[in-house]
């Protein structure tokens, strides 16, 4: 069943969202990948952007934190 909840946080995003992942160690850090290859690291507790970078030349298709939350693995349509 679908449950109606208020959003945790709202952020402006320039590119179309393609992938996202929550840090397994804190559950307060979110990584977002866009169709433009942009990767954004967001602190959802403080509702702030921590870091942004162009990680791929094309769309990011998959994101994953390592189990310790220290590294991010991404794959994109550019290989």
């Amino acid at each position: 069943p679908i449950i109606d909840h208020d959003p945790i946080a709202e952020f402006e995003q320039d590119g179309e969202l393609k992938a996202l992942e929550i840090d397994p160690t804190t559950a307060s850090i979110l990584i977002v990948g866009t169709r433009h290859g942009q990767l954004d690291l967001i602190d959802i507790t403080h509702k702030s952007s921590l870091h942004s970078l162009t990680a791929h030349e094309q769309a990011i298709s998959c994101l994953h934190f390592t189990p310790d939350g220290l590294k991010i693995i991404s794959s994109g349509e550019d290989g």
Side-chain angles (χ1 to χ4, degrees), residues 7-22:
I8 295 170
E10 294 182 24
F11 298 95
E12 291 292 322
Q13 185 66 34
D14 290 338
E16 179 183 321
L17 181 69
K18 296 294 281 185
L20 60 88
E21 176 85 358
I22 299 232

Side-chain angles (χ1 to χ4, degrees), residues 20-32 39-42 50 62-74:
L20 60 88
E21 176 85 358
I22 299 232
D23 180 347
T25 62
T26 66
S28 66
I29 305 297
L30 176 72
I31 49 172
V32 177
L39 188 140
D40 296 313
L41 193 62
I42 300 167
L50 298 173
C62 185
L63 292 169
H64 187 71
F65 275 101
T66 56
D68 60 8
L70 297 177
K71 295 179 183 170
I72 297 168
I73 301 164
S74 67

Side-chain angles (χ1 to χ4, degrees), residues 33-71:
T34 71
R35 70 181 178 104
H36 300 295
Q38 188 76 19
L39 188 140
D40 296 313
L41 193 62
I42 300 167
D43 181 333
I44 58 176
T45 302
H46 296 101
K47 300 179 182 179
S48 62
S49 176
L50 298 173
H51 192 69
S52 183
L53 66 109
T54 301
H56 292 271
E57 294 179 10
Q58 295 180 19
I60 293 176
S61 55
C62 185
L63 292 169
H64 187 71
F65 275 101
T66 56
D68 60 8
L70 297 177
K71 295 179 183 170

